[in-house]
Amino acid sequence: MREFVRSFVQRFSSLFRRHRLESDLDDELRSHLEMSVELNLRKGMSPADARREALRSFGGVEQTKEIYASSEDFP
């Protein structure tokens, strides 16, 4: 019974840890994207073009998330 409780607590806490890590990753990716947009704006691009170019040069936000989610560092 004690082993069951310990296992349950570990699994339950990992759900919160994973959610926090996903949220941190979202914040980090958003920050990098915003910096790229700002750089493109300083280069003279329109806001729409700056964002489009930032997204294009960044690769894919969802693909980047998948890479991190499948890595060993991201439980």
Side-chain angles (χ1 to χ4, degrees), residues 1-19 75:
M1 181 69 173
R2 186 180 293 176
E3 191 62 36
F4 171 77
V5 171
R6 183 180 10 240
S7 176
F8 177 78
V9 169
Q10 287 175 340
R11 288 180 185 196
F12 190 71
S13 66
S14 72
L15 291 174
F16 290 104
R17 185 173 41 249
R18 181 169 182 86
H19 178 70

Side-chain angles (χ1 to χ4, degrees), residues 7-34:
S7 176
F8 177 78
V9 169
Q10 287 175 340
R11 288 180 185 196
F12 190 71
S13 66
S14 72
L15 291 174
F16 290 104
R17 185 173 41 249
R18 181 169 182 86
H19 178 70
R20 191 189 85 235
L21 290 172
E22 288 173 354
S23 177
D24 289 349
L25 179 59
D26 285 343
D27 291 345
E28 186 72 21
L29 293 173
R30 188 174 16 265
S31 174
H32 284 284
L33 188 60
E34 289 173 4

Side-chain angles (χ1 to χ4, degrees), residues 29-50:
L29 293 173
R30 188 174 16 265
S31 174
H32 284 284
L33 188 60
E34 289 173 4
M35 286 188 292
S36 185
V37 170
E38 287 297 320
L39 180 63
N40 290 337
L41 289 170
R42 281 186 254 133
K43 290 179 180 178
M45 292 182 184
S46 70
D49 288 341

